[in-house]
Amino acid sequence: MKVRLPVRRAILERKTYEPPGEGRSGKLRLDFNENTAGCSPAVLRALAKLTPRLLAMYPEYQQSTKRLARYFGVAPDEILLANGGDDALRVFFDTFVDPAGSILICEPTFPMYRYYAEIVGARVVALRYSMQMQFPLDAALSALRNKPTVMFIANPNNPTGTLLHSSSIQKILRAAPHTAVVIDEAYAEFSGVTVVPWIRRYRNLFVVRTFSKAAGLAGLRLGAVIANQSSLALLQRAMPPFPVNLAALAAAEAAVADRGAIRRYVRGVTETREWFGTQLARISVRTFPSAGNFLLADFGPTGPALFRKLEKQGILLRERSREIAPGFVRITIGTRDEMRRLLCAIEASGYSSRAGKRNN
Ligand SMILES: Cc1ncc(COP(=O)(O)O)c(C=O)c1O
């Protein structure tokens, strides 16, 4: 029997996705912007309270939604929970984007926006950050005149670490009456900046948040979309009945109840990020000002060889040579000890910033 499955054209035209996250266990994982210190012990206590009876039943969401909404300072009907930030982003495609639609992004940025658009077969309008990692605001405002279906902005942006000023976001929102504007605030706890309070003013504004970063729950998968109640109701129509698992809910509730732990972790990362940036400057490696739990660094043309060497030693960084220029890398900020280990490995590798100097 000859089988010919009726696969969609957009899927046939896609490259097969290579999952980047296998075989990392036991290594120094500074490649995915995770919380390397681990979540609050209160989370483990909450998970230990789950019983076989509870696990046997489909989860209920009302109580948890109420508590998590309070954490973000919104009403329960202004928040929608999803299976991680990635899944929260997918809902915009199910709700708004068909193959005739388009998305507007500024690269380099979080790759999932482009990824989902390619699955749909929608057009991707991609602007570029400058080599100084400046957001192309004028180009974005003029691209909005073509009414893209959804615009995605990560703020702070991954991998640049840059923060778009609130006045620029306001300009974008005002220029986009026909576009859903998604402000992806996966790293908002680190930047201390959020546009969540604006959801009552702008019906085209959607904010994505995650419990994977500051709360340290990447393994449990919980994300959220926060928006005006009437706009959020549209996304709700595209949701399955049980998108989030019970353990993730219990963990997130415990995590937000122990805000002190989140605050302490964020403070530690911010201090270590500044320290590590200074250390890289000392060996003449350029970094860009970051508002996230990571740093974008430019090791120049000899950078890629260094990253291979580090990888062989079990130190994982997220190389961004292809997306930006050879030698660019995104480094997650781990604990002080972890960053010291990385620094020692760089210095011991014989890496020379002079050999790695870029001409521009
Ligand atoms: C900008 C941005 N958005 C969303 C996510 C998705 O996070 P998660 O799916 O773990 O919630 C990430 C993860 O790295 C990210 O960097």
Side-chain angles (χ1 to χ4, degrees):
M1 184 179 69
K2 204 166 168 191
V3 174
R4 201 144 168 250
L5 296 170
V7 61
R8 288 171 41 228
R9 210 168 89 205
I11 296 296
L12 283 176
E13 285 170 0
R14 268 187 61 73
K15 279 184 280 170
T16 301
Y17 184 60
E18 293 159 26
E22 296 300 313
R24 299 167 69 234
S25 167
K27 298 184 176 166
L28 179 51
R29 292 170 282 189
L30 304 177
D31 51 347
F32 275 16
N33 296 347
E34 293 145 321
N35 172 335
T36 66
C39 63
S40 155
V43 168
L44 294 182
R45 290 196 293 275
L47 291 174
K49 282 192 196 142
L50 296 175
T51 62
R53 266 179 92 80
L54 276 170
L55 293 179
M57 301 295 147
Y58 287 106
E60 292 189 17
Y61 294 120
Q62 222 171 41
Q63 201 52 252
S64 312
T65 304
K66 228 189 217 168
R67 291 186 183 137
L68 298 178
R70 205 175 307 138
Y71 171 69
F72 293 113
V74 298
D77 58 3
E78 292 170 326
I79 183 169
L80 187 140
L81 300 176
N83 189 31
D86 284 350
D87 193 46
L89 292 168
R90 188 189 48 75
V91 184
F92 292 96
F93 290 85
D94 289 347
T95 307
F96 296 112
V97 189
D98 59 31
S102 65
I103 68 157
L104 175 60
I105 54 176
C106 294
E107 289 180 324
T109 192
F110 188 50
M112 293 308 287
Y113 314 137
R114 181 181 275 280
Y115 175 89
Y116 288 132
E118 285 175 2
I119 288 179
V120 172
R123 202 155 62 89
V124 178
V125 180
L127 308 173
R128 292 287 305 176
Y129 277 78
S130 72
M131 280 309 277
Q132 311 310 316
M133 302 308 149
Q134 227 131 41
F135 183 89
L137 180 63
D138 290 338
L141 291 173
S142 92
L144 282 170
R145 284 195 214 117
N146 297 328
K147 305 179 184 173
T149 319
V150 186
M151 177 178 196
F152 292 95
I153 299 174
N155 204 44
N157 185 41
N158 168 10
T160 60
T162 46
L163 199 58
L164 192 56
H165 199 273
S166 348
S167 64
S168 305
I169 299 180
Q170 214 154 23
K171 281 186 190 151
I172 286 169
L173 288 165
R174 289 193 182 135
H178 303 284
T179 300
V181 178
V182 179
I183 306 295
D184 180 347
E185 294 187 346
Y187 304 97
E189 286 89 346
F190 302 98
S191 70
V193 175
T194 178
V195 292
V196 162
W198 296 5
I199 56 165
R200 297 188 184 152
R201 228 182 310 155
Y202 296 102
R203 280 189 43 214
N204 55 341
L205 168 64
F206 298 83
V207 183
V208 168
R209 300 289 292 253
T210 178
F211 291 86
S212 294
K213 308 298 179 182
L217 302 179
L220 283 168
R221 318 301 300 130
L222 185 64
V225 182
I226 298 169
N228 185 291
Q229 180 262 327
S230 65
S231 306
L232 201 70
L234 299 172
L235 298 192
Q236 193 85 55
R237 293 186 195 186
M239 292 298 286
F242 303 106
V244 169
N245 73 77
L246 188 72
L249 292 177
E253 281 186 49
V256 302
D258 187 5
R259 280 177 207 215
I262 295 182
R263 267 200 291 267
R264 278 192 297 282
Y265 166 66
V266 166
R267 199 177 321 124
V269 162
T270 316
E271 286 167 9
T272 303
R273 186 186 67 208
E274 297 317 306
W275 171 81
F276 187 66
T278 319
Q279 295 303 311
L280 288 186
R282 183 174 56 74
I283 55 169
S284 303
V285 174
R286 181 176 185 204
T287 58
F288 295 81
S290 170
N293 65 342
F294 56 90
L295 265 184
L296 181 68
D298 176 10
F299 283 79
T302 58
L306 167 68
F307 310 146
R308 297 291 83 73
K309 233 183 225 179
L310 294 173
E311 196 176 342
K312 281 202 189 115
Q313 295 169 35
I315 300 177
L316 308 179
L317 310 177
R318 194 87 160 117
E319 184 170 355
R320 283 290 168 244
S321 291
R322 246 186 312 134
E323 293 79 358
I324 306 175
F328 273 80
V329 71
R330 190 195 70 199
I331 304 172
T332 302
I333 302 301
T335 62
R336 192 64 71 107
D337 281 350
E338 288 170 331
M339 301 320 283
R340 267 197 207 106
R341 190 179 146 202
L342 169 60
L343 199 63
C344 286
I346 293 171
E347 291 185 305
S349 73
Y351 167 76
S352 156
S353 62
R354 239 175 297 138
K357 269 271 180 297
R358 197 180 297 289
N359 289 325
N360 59 13

